Amino acid sequence: MRRALILYSSNPIYSQLSTTRAPPGYVVFPKRDGGWIPPSSSYQPPVFRMRNYKCTLPPPLGSASDSVANRPKMASQDEQDPRISKISSAIRVIPNFPKPGIMFQDITTLLLDTKAFRDTIDLFVERYRGKDISVVAGIEARGFIFGPPIALAIGAKFVPMRKPNKLPGEVISEEYSLEYGTDKMEMHVGAVQAGERALIIDDLIATGGTLCAAIRLLERVGVQVVECACVIELPELKGRERLGDKPLFVLVSSD
Amino acid sequence: MSAYRDKDPRIHGIQSRIRVVPNFPKSAGIMFQDITTLLLDPKAFKDTVDLFVERYRGKNISVVAGIEARGFIFGPAIALEIGAKFVPLRKPKKLPGKVISEEYELEYGRDCLEMHLGAVEPGDRALVVDDLIATGGTLCAAMKLLERVGADVVECACVIELPDLKGREQLNGKPLYVLVESH
């Protein structure tokens, strides 16, 4: 069950989202209710932002200590990549979406910040380039935004994992649990081959149910899932544990 | 626009990677143009993105708007390369926060496309990207959303065009650039 997470501190920090090609002095401010303050307004409200974010920085892929990579680490100031803080502050939190009590992590504002979006992709590409990964699987629909640029940069194919009845031709399906009821995820038959090394990409991991379904789909056809990669983790929902022995790499953790 | 792309040697590889699936989504003689097979060929996928990037780089494009969901596969990669922001145009109720909506006609009934308020500003120069243009209804709705907030839609860009459905004529004079035509 999702919990309401209070994200603002008693000293609100103004978060500035800059659009790279905008005229000087032009900024866009997110409002608490999820709207936007137009730039002509002088009102600068406090914004929800990610706090206590940490880059988990597990050891590089393929090292001997991979088995401890699942344990999240508190990164010291020195360890955190300087690009992370801009990425984190570019993510907008929308209260009560899609239901009351849920604080929705909105990555669309990250996509408006060309440098932060570029940095997000670069951080994944730097981790996975040269690791013999032949498949990047992206989960519909926000995984489609991050997965293909990563795949293109590391020379892997991109495989969309979709809701039912979207993929034409022959598919395999995996059912998974939702808070109420179940849903299904599908992948094309023949898109991946046994023995391929795969990443799974989504914008966010919450309970881990969707990622688990994606892992199962790939493993059913003999693919080795090397790692799951998300921009955001909600650690209190314990999705990382649900992935079992599969490592998880995230850029930003939202307590 | 055909003279340039017909000569580009990369087009043949791209076209040959697109799979046609008969009778999808409905068994009514529809031949579905499936781009997922293109995405399985890293070189052909990269060539696809490169062809768009080469066309739009240095043209002062500040926004790439991609139509859910297959526009999300091509749009962000183009946006990243040309230094533009990426704006997802989505089915109803997917975008959190304040949105504007544009209704459009389907063969049977209507659908709706939404965009975040504040994502696009007056004066932004925009591309609209999708995998395919058929009747042009969705692209038209996308253009209207952008124009309603004062953006200048420079061009619509798709991998595939189905020219028999005359989508190009629905774009109110806006240019359309495609890589591949399918009759």
Side-chain angles (χ1 to χ4, degrees):
Chain A
M1 165 121 80
R2 299 288 299 276
R3 296 164 41 187
L5 304 170
I6 305 299
L7 288 177
Y8 63 92
S9 68
S10 55
N11 295 312
I13 300 166
Y14 297 134
S15 173
Q16 187 162 318
L17 301 172
S18 61
T19 53
T20 315
R21 291 179 188 272
Y26 178 99
V27 294
V28 183
F29 290 100
K31 290 201 295 190
R32 284 174 66 128
D33 65 359
W36 294 87
I37 307 274
S40 54
S41 165
S42 58
Y43 174 59
Q44 297 192 12
V47 298
F48 287 114
R49 63 165 290 178
M50 318 278 285
R51 64 190 286 265
N52 299 329
Y53 56 81
K54 38 188 191 292
C55 179
T56 56
L57 281 181
L61 217 50
S63 74
S65 50
D66 252 0
S67 56
V68 300
N70 281 346
R71 310 278 178 262
K73 299 187 177 79
M74 281 299 282
S76 69
Q77 273 303 108
D78 299 324
E79 282 184 56
Q80 180 160 288
D81 190 290
R83 292 169 285 185
I84 293 288
S85 70
K86 290 275 168 53
I87 291 168
S88 177
S89 62
I91 295 165
R92 172 173 75 153
V93 182
I94 307 274
N96 302 315
F97 183 89
K99 297 188 302 220
I102 295 186
M103 305 294 275
F104 187 88
Q105 309 287 332
D106 181 17
I107 49 92
T108 66
T109 43
L110 171 63
L111 311 177
L112 299 178
D113 181 334
T114 52
K115 180 168 190 323
F117 185 21
R118 174 85 260 159
D119 288 345
T120 303
I121 299 299
D122 286 350
L123 281 160
F124 291 120
V125 169
E126 287 162 19
R127 181 171 179 80
Y128 299 119
R129 180 180 269 145
K131 302 293 196 315
D132 215 15
I133 294 185
S134 55
V135 179
V136 173
I139 299 180
E140 167 166 21
R142 289 183 289 265
F144 289 8
I145 295 175
F146 297 97
I150 297 168
L152 285 162
I154 68 174
K157 49 191 180 185
F158 178 73
V159 175
M161 315 288 262
R162 297 211 67 172
K163 295 277 156 78
N165 307 314
K166 301 290 188 74
L167 291 171
E170 221 189 327
V171 297
I172 58 170
S173 293
E174 183 75 29
E175 228 181 44
Y176 61 102
S177 299
L178 300 171
E179 192 178 6
Y180 299 107
T182 61
D183 205 343
K184 249 203 282 193
M185 179 182 294
E186 294 184 343
M187 179 176 78
H188 265 139
V189 168
V192 293
Q193 269 71 56
E196 295 207 71
R197 285 163 52 81
L199 291 183
I200 304 176
I201 307 280
D202 207 355
D203 65 322
L204 179 145
I205 174 172
T207 61
T210 322
L211 276 168
C212 264
I215 294 169
R216 283 198 294 270
L217 272 173
L218 289 163
E219 290 187 331
R220 273 167 61 186
V221 294
V223 166
Q224 180 198 352
V225 176
V226 174
E227 194 158 85
C228 295
C230 302
V231 180
I232 306 161
E233 176 186 13
L234 304 180
E236 288 171 357
L237 297 178
K238 302 194 192 306
R240 191 180 281 267
E241 291 164 24
R242 192 141 166 211
L243 302 185
D245 63 345
K246 292 290 172 284
L248 171 71
F249 175 71
V250 303
L251 303 185
V252 164
S253 193
S254 176
D255 291 316
Chain B
M1 290 291 313
S2 63
Y4 162 77
R5 66 167 198 278
D6 282 350
K7 292 193 175 77
D8 193 292
R10 292 169 286 185
I11 293 289
H12 174 73
I14 292 167
Q15 181 144 31
S16 67
R17 292 295 183 278
I18 296 165
R19 171 173 76 154
V20 181
V21 181
N23 300 321
F24 183 87
K26 300 189 278 268
S27 55
I30 295 180
M31 305 294 275
F32 188 88
Q33 307 284 326
D34 181 18
I35 49 91
T36 66
T37 41
L38 171 64
L39 313 177
L40 299 180
D41 180 337
K43 180 182 186 310
F45 184 20
K46 183 171 191 311
D47 287 345
T48 304
V49 173
D50 285 350
L51 280 160
F52 291 120
V53 169
E54 288 163 20
R55 181 173 178 79
Y56 298 118
R57 181 179 268 146
K59 301 291 198 312
N60 224 43
I61 308 269
S62 52
V63 177
V64 173
I67 299 179
E68 166 165 25
R70 289 183 290 266
F72 291 7
I73 296 176
F74 298 96
I78 299 167
L80 284 161
E81 286 295 312
I82 68 174
K85 46 192 182 185
F86 178 72
V87 174
L89 303 183
R90 298 209 67 174
K91 294 284 160 76
K93 301 192 171 41
K94 302 289 187 73
L95 291 171
K98 293 257 168 64
V99 297
I100 56 169
S101 294
E102 184 74 31
E103 249 194 6
Y104 62 101
E105 304 252 328
L106 298 172
E107 193 178 5
Y108 298 106
R110 306 176 72 80
D111 205 341
C112 203
L113 209 57
E114 294 186 341
M115 180 175 78
H116 267 139
L117 262 183
V120 173
E121 303 300 334
D124 264 330
R125 283 167 52 81
L127 290 183
V128 183
V129 174
D130 207 356
D131 66 321
L132 179 144
I133 174 172
T135 61
T138 323
L139 276 169
C140 237
M143 288 190 335
K144 289 198 180 118
L145 279 171
L146 291 160
E147 290 177 337
R148 277 166 59 187
V149 296
D152 172 26
V153 177
V154 174
E155 195 158 83
C156 294
C158 302
V159 180
I160 306 161
E161 177 184 13
L162 306 180
D164 298 342
L165 297 180
K166 303 193 194 305
R168 195 180 278 268
E169 294 165 25
Q170 297 301 315
L171 302 183
N172 296 323
K174 279 295 177 202
L176 168 72
Y177 176 72
V178 304
L179 303 184
V180 160
E181 286 177 11
S182 181
H183 294 270

